[in-house]
Amino acid sequence: MATEAAGIDRPLLVDDFLQERRYQLQLAASAADEHTLVCLPTGLGKTTVSLLVTAERLHEAGGKALFLAPTKPLVQQHADFYREALSIPDDEIVVFTGDVKPDDRAALWADARIVIATPQVVENDLVGNRISLRDVTHLTFDECHRATGDYAYVYIAERYHADAADPLVTGMSASPGGDTEEIETVCENLGLSNVEVMTEDDADVDEYTHDTDVQWEQVTLPDEVLEIRDALNEVITDRLEKLKSLGVTNTTNPDLSQKDLNAMRGKLKKMMDNDQSDGYKGMSTHAEVMKLRRATELVETQSVESVRRYFERQREAARSSGASKASQRMVADPKVREAMRKTESFDGLHPKFSKARILLAETLGINEGERAILFTESRDTAEALVEFLSASFDVRKFVGQGDKEGSDGMTQKQQQETLDEFKAGAFEVLVSTSVAEEGLDVPEVDLVCFYEPVPTAIRSIQRKGRTGRQAEGKVVVLMAEDTRDEAFFWISRRREKKMASQLAELKEATDDIEETVGDDGQAGLDAFAGGSDGDDDAGADAGVAGDEGTATEGDTADGDATEGDTADGDATEGDAADGDTGDAGLTDFAAEARAGGDEAGDAEESGADDDSTDDGSADDGVVATAGVDEGVEVVVDQRELDSSIAKDLSTRDGLVTRLETLAVGDYVLSDRVAVERKSAADFVDSMLDADRSMFEQVGELSRAYARPVMVVEGTNLYGQRDIDPNAIRGALASLAVDFDVSVLRTEGEGDTTELLATIAKREQETRDREVSVHGEKTTKTRAEQQEYVVSSIADIGPVTARTLLEHFGTVEAVMTAPEDDLLEVDGVGPVTAERIREVVGSEYE
């Protein structure tokens, strides 16, 4: 048992609030000297280490500190801790989430000493030039194992190393990755050169840890449940036969792995890219298989009630306008309808429900425990469990913030209140989805029960850290016999053993890792400073999901939708609305292209990833004065943040990006040039969109800007859908001839980025034009309206317009001025004066 430690007495710390632990002080001392990855088992105070570094940096170097955490509940929790532990006034420790308006964030940033934020919000504020990282002297990445691929951590780190005057980075994780290469990738992406690891075997740590007993409880499914599963598997086999006939698979086994399904999808994608109609049909069938697999997974591992709700949502989706063929076919299949009837008539109890009740009775009753947590992947199951267990225990649910059909989410305030009440002993059982796993400070409990095996080691370790902090606790995992649970069981056992040794192995390998990232580190930092792209390896954990055959946080590869996702309706809680995008690399399985007709929707449902995040971008105004405000400016529409273009532009030397909600266009490059960007698939889709056609969009663009530009991105324009290429050529011709729009083709987002930068520099540097957003929804001042009216005459621009107004005093005087008087104005030559008189004085035809 740990002995009572003395309090820490240091500048900016509340006296004796923090108890002195040698390992925390040692880690903080190392992290204060260089960019450091801190690895420490869950529950042993990683946040305290970062706080100690922040306090020292603010005291010694001044400036401000930025702390990033992946979800809003985590952000609020860290903010509460910092306000309690530091002697800094509470109003100087501010929270940045999507709930705070962008213009308010810009003002708060200026006065704050510590900002605690979700990464998507900071990413958007950097792209929008609302904030500057120049004065940030300490940046902390919590749960830093996420720093792979296009997760916001990677971009923020790149900007920080390039922009900050005196940077220091601390990355924190209890589970930094599966192997040395993954850890090196995280270090390189965050610019970390030092690795500090403490394990439970270290003497200084051991006294603060306790044993965690893990046991596996096997249950047997009743025949009625197995009959539902078998009926669904027959349909899956039939659909796999069709896919086999297309040559994309050699198996019809309904228990095929996710790796096999991903390979199938890749082959179908290639067929679609080659404009093979079978590819679209096959992708629709693939989407149906994913839906059916989700249903079988629910009936096996969750409950009959959860699959009943799932079927209900699928029926509603099939009846809706624009329903996909996959949904319609699935609910119309006789075997599926038979399974639906069986779920509706089933009045028994899933054996996991009974086992969970027994375990809780043993822990809280016989063993006189105080608290227990029951984790499940499904919100439907969580709600059913709360209803079932409430007859015997005082139970509350803890779910994510996104609302789903028939299932209300919890607000951040409700989440915090629920945790506070749980800590205070107001109730004894918390039924939680995975939103509560990662780092969130759920108090120590007597029992953690997994309703289903958790195949990803990172998530499992995070959960199991909830016991064994102050006293010995146990973890129980429920497993249904002869189901996917058993496969997950063996995977989980293997990965648990691997994770158990990883921190120890990492500790042994720190010198090698530091040497590797040290060798690459200076080149990486030079690349950051030069504005190069971040690491694009989004596939670090791709093989994990492929082997495991299931989707985890943020992963929709198997049709299992995350919070904020609409693929199948049954949410795997990942609090995606809070920017929680899941394990590194899993989003690689998401669809990258849109296909034709109803099959296009099926292609997206077959694995599309919905990047619903806490980005704070749902606003219509920005204050773009905190960051660099000199250089060539590009105004970016908020809705373009899904692409990498805005981020890439924001890292270019001499370019300044600004975010707005544009009434027309996607990018404004000068007072006369605005750009509408469409992928090849979007271009064809918008030709056929009855609600808002491309020609309507372009018409508005042409009325607002003198030089409208349409960028068509992608190399397969004529291979989209089953449309005659001449129809597409006709649309291109109409844009150029009828609408006077310049149509430019690019190969991809990188090429588009280069083109936009080139046009913006040409307009603003070579042609000396300014950026002016036309057609805004916001009201202009009278002077702005006058400048706008005059600037539109003969395309003279805002600079000359202001000169004319200053000379003549009114719009009317400008309009009626004779050509000789116009020539007296600076910047107005004979050609401009003649054009003004011609436009103003000519008869309208």
Side-chain angles (χ1 to χ4, degrees):
M1 197 66 186
T3 57
E4 187 68 23
I8 301 176
D9 183 13
R10 291 189 176 187
L12 298 183
L13 296 182
V14 173
D15 290 345
D16 296 330
F17 178 82
L18 296 174
Q19 297 302 306
E20 184 175 309
R21 294 184 177 185
R22 287 190 300 276
Y23 68 88
Q24 290 177 335
L25 297 176
Q26 180 181 334
L27 291 170
S30 297
D33 288 337
E34 52 188 321
H35 306 307
T36 300
L37 169 62
V38 174
C39 298
L40 189 64
T42 299
L44 292 172
K46 293 184 298 297
T47 308
T48 298
V49 173
S50 176
L51 182 141
L52 291 170
V53 178
T54 291
E56 179 173 335
R57 286 289 282 177
L58 292 180
H59 177 68
E60 297 291 337
K64 65 182 65 186
L66 175 60
F67 186 113
L68 298 175
T71 66
K72 286 191 278 190
L74 267 177
V75 165
Q76 189 59 53
Q77 175 183 298
H78 290 314
D80 292 342
F81 174 59
Y82 269 54
R83 286 167 180 156
E84 289 178 358
L86 295 171
S87 58
I88 295 172
D90 285 358
D91 59 0
E92 294 181 15
I93 301 175
V94 302
V95 167
F96 272 29
T97 67
D99 295 334
V100 185
K101 293 182 178 180
D103 48 354
D104 292 339
R105 294 201 299 265
L108 288 169
W109 179 272
D111 298 328
R113 294 186 70 185
I114 298 176
V115 176
I116 303 176
T118 51
Q120 288 75 21
V121 165
V122 172
E123 179 181 62
N124 287 352
D125 285 349
L126 287 171
V127 172
N129 198 33
R130 299 178 184 121
I131 64 174
S132 168
L133 298 178
R134 178 175 176 78
D135 297 330
V136 174
T137 53
H138 185 218
L139 172 54
T140 299
F141 293 96
D142 191 24
E143 313 296 352
C144 70
H145 52 268
R146 296 168 172 271
T148 61
D150 60 358
Y151 190 65
Y153 278 0
V154 179
Y155 169 76
I156 294 169
E158 177 184 352
R159 286 292 302 270
Y160 182 59
H161 286 289
D163 298 350
D166 185 15
L168 180 69
V169 177
T170 302
M172 303 191 304
S173 180
S175 40
D179 55 40
T180 300
E181 185 175 340
E182 289 178 27
I183 296 162
E184 289 174 356
T185 297
V186 169
C187 289
E188 289 165 2
N189 287 347
L190 297 182
L192 305 176
S193 55
N194 179 44
V195 179
E196 295 290 335
V197 182
M198 291 282 186
T199 72
E200 294 182 358
D201 294 330
D202 288 305
D204 290 343
V205 177
D206 180 64
E207 61 178 309
Y208 297 100
T209 62
H210 306 271
D211 293 332
T212 301
D213 176 32
V214 182
Q215 65 187 64
W216 297 78
E217 292 284 347
Q218 195 170 51
V219 300
T220 303
L221 297 181
D223 290 341
E224 300 95 320
V225 174
L226 294 176
E227 287 172 5
I228 297 171
R229 179 196 67 181
D230 293 343
L232 295 172
N233 278 341
E234 285 186 40
V235 185
I236 293 176
T237 298
D238 175 74
R239 302 303 187 262
L240 290 174
E241 288 280 6
K242 295 179 179 178
L243 291 170
K244 185 177 180 180
S245 70
L246 296 179
V248 296
T249 182
N250 293 319
T251 182
T252 59
N253 183 350
D255 293 327
L256 78 171
S257 70
Q258 184 63 44
K259 185 176 182 180
D260 292 332
L261 284 166
N262 292 337
M264 257 187 266
R265 180 174 177 78
K267 293 176 182 178
L268 290 167
K269 176 71 166 52
K270 287 182 180 178
M271 293 172 68
M272 289 165 56
D273 290 343
N274 293 328
D275 199 27
Q276 295 176 251
S277 59
D278 283 347
Y280 295 104
K281 295 175 183 176
M283 194 66 83
S284 180
T285 303
H286 187 277
E288 194 178 356
V289 170
M290 301 296 263
K291 291 174 180 292
L292 290 163
R293 274 175 53 88
R294 178 58 179 158
T296 59
E297 182 182 332
L298 288 172
V299 76
E300 283 186 341
T301 67
Q302 299 297 315
S303 67
V304 175
E305 172 63 16
S306 64
V307 79
R308 186 193 64 75
R309 293 187 187 188
Y310 177 73
F311 280 145
E312 192 175 291
R313 286 192 286 269
Q314 292 303 313
R315 275 198 298 261
E316 291 175 3
R319 289 193 294 264
S320 66
S321 60
S324 68
K325 288 183 178 179
S327 293
Q328 293 172 341
R329 279 198 311 270
M330 186 183 79
V331 300
D333 188 280
K335 284 289 183 182
V336 175
R337 296 176 74 86
E338 176 190 343
M340 289 180 179
R341 286 192 295 271
K342 288 180 181 294
T343 62
E344 290 165 0
S345 62
F346 181 76
D347 59 359
L349 198 62
H350 196 287
K352 286 188 178 182
F353 276 55
S354 304
K355 179 60 71 173
R357 182 170 58 187
I358 292 170
L359 289 167
L360 290 171
E362 290 175 349
T363 301
L364 303 176
I366 298 173
N367 297 329
E368 298 182 344
E370 296 180 357
R371 282 188 293 254
I373 297 177
L374 179 56
F375 281 113
T376 176
E377 299 288 286
S378 164
R379 183 183 292 185
D380 284 340
T381 299
E383 293 177 344
L385 280 167
V386 169
E387 182 179 351
F388 170 69
L389 295 172
S390 292
S392 307
F393 309 97
D394 193 353
V395 186
R396 305 277 180 84
K397 72 175 181 179
F398 187 95
V399 299
Q401 298 182 44
D403 291 341
K404 304 300 294 182
E405 296 177 51
S407 176
D408 294 332
M410 295 175 67
T411 66
Q412 180 181 337
K413 182 180 180 183
Q414 289 172 328
Q415 289 177 340
Q416 196 59 54
E417 287 175 351
T418 299
L419 286 182
D420 290 343
E421 290 176 4
F422 190 49
K423 293 176 186 177
F427 60 96
E428 53 193 348
V429 179
L430 184 71
V431 177
S432 176
T433 50
S434 54
V435 64
E437 291 173 18
E438 197 162 346
L440 196 61
D441 188 17
V442 177
E444 60 275 3
V445 294
D446 302 288
L447 168 70
V448 169
C449 179
F450 292 101
Y451 190 80
E452 62 280 299
V454 181
T456 305
I458 289 175
R459 301 174 75 196
S460 192
I461 285 291
Q462 294 286 3
R463 281 181 171 174
K464 285 163 53 172
R466 301 298 156 225
T467 67
R469 295 185 188 183
Q470 304 297 330
E472 293 187 7
K474 68 177 181 179
V475 171
V476 177
V477 183
L478 303 182
M479 178 173 61
E481 185 181 3
D482 191 28
T483 68
R484 285 174 175 78
D485 278 351
E486 287 195 334
F488 296 166
F489 164 78
W490 294 111
I491 291 168
S492 186
R493 286 291 293 269
R494 185 181 74 243
R495 297 205 176 279
E496 286 297 312
K497 292 175 72 174
K498 182 178 180 180
M499 184 62 78
S501 63
Q502 267 184 354
L503 283 180
E505 292 173 0
L506 175 59
K507 193 176 181 69
E508 294 292 326
T510 51
D511 289 343
D512 292 338
I513 293 172
E514 287 173 0
E515 183 177 350
T516 299
V517 298
D519 291 342
D520 296 337
Q522 190 56 51
L525 294 180
D526 291 343
F528 283 141
S532 71
D533 293 334
D535 189 293
D536 197 35
D537 176 17
D541 282 346
V544 174
D547 292 337
E548 291 163 358
T550 187
T552 56
E553 291 181 68
D555 180 13
T556 57
D558 61 356
D560 182 7
T562 58
E563 287 259 336
D565 232 335
T566 57
D568 287 324
D570 187 73
T572 290
E573 295 276 341
D575 204 14
D578 296 336
D580 190 352
T581 57
D583 296 316
L586 292 178
T587 52
D588 262 7
F589 301 137
E592 294 178 356
R594 297 180 182 173
D598 289 324
E599 282 80 7
D602 296 339
E604 292 183 354
E605 290 186 24
S606 185
D609 186 70
D610 180 2
D611 279 332
S612 174
T613 58
D614 175 46
D615 58 13
S617 61
D619 60 273
D620 57 3
V622 291
V623 178
T625 56
V628 177
D629 55 9
E630 294 182 358
V632 174
E633 184 179 36
V634 177
V635 179
V636 182
D637 184 69
Q638 299 273 12
R639 288 154 291 199
E640 281 292 293
L641 289 173
D642 287 341
S643 78
S644 63
I645 294 172
K647 287 189 286 187
D648 289 347
L649 287 170
S650 72
T651 62
R652 300 296 181 92
D653 288 338
L655 278 182
V656 178
T657 49
R658 175 160 58 98
L659 291 179
E660 290 204 18
T661 302
L662 299 176
V664 292
D666 296 320
Y667 300 88
V668 177
L669 307 181
S670 74
D671 60 294
R672 65 175 184 168
V673 177
V675 177
E676 179 77 22
R677 180 184 75 95
K678 291 189 180 298
S679 68
D682 286 340
F683 182 87
V684 175
D685 287 345
S686 61
M687 287 171 56
L688 308 175
D689 189 345
D691 294 330
R692 180 171 169 79
S693 75
M694 172 179 62
F695 301 106
E696 180 184 345
Q697 292 175 304
V698 167
E700 293 175 355
L701 192 68
S702 297
R703 287 189 290 274
Y705 294 90
R707 297 287 186 271
V709 175
M710 167 76 76
V711 170
V712 181
E713 189 178 277
T715 57
N716 191 29
L717 178 60
Y718 299 109
Q720 303 296 324
R721 293 202 176 193
D722 295 324
I723 293 179
D724 188 337
N726 281 333
I728 299 174
R729 294 186 185 103
L732 293 170
S734 177
L735 290 173
V737 176
D738 299 333
F739 291 88
D740 198 23
V741 172
S742 299
V743 181
L744 305 177
R745 299 287 304 278
T746 62
E747 294 183 356
E749 290 185 357
D751 193 14
T752 301
T753 302
E754 298 294 343
L755 177 63
L756 295 176
T758 299
I759 297 174
K761 289 178 179 178
R762 184 177 183 276
E763 283 291 288
Q764 297 174 46
E765 293 181 345
T766 306
R767 297 300 181 93
D768 198 27
R769 306 191 76 94
E770 295 186 354
V771 172
S772 177
V773 176
H774 300 176
E776 301 112 314
K777 296 176 182 177
T778 53
T779 303
K780 292 177 178 291
T781 65
R782 178 184 297 171
E784 288 172 332
Q785 292 180 61
Q786 291 170 324
E787 291 170 7
Y788 179 62
V789 170
V790 175
S791 69
S792 66
I793 304 171
D795 191 29
I796 63 175
V799 176
T800 305
R802 279 195 291 271
T803 306
L804 285 165
L805 284 166
E806 289 168 359
H807 182 88
F808 290 105
T810 67
V811 174
E812 183 179 18
V814 175
M815 298 295 190
T816 58
E819 192 170 322
D820 288 344
D821 291 351
L822 290 170
L823 288 170
E824 295 177 5
V825 179
D826 290 340
V828 178
V831 176
T832 301
E834 183 180 347
R835 284 209 318 267
I836 292 173
R837 290 308 314 146
E838 181 182 356
V839 170
V840 173
S842 297
E843 195 77 23
Y844 174 69
E845 298 178 2

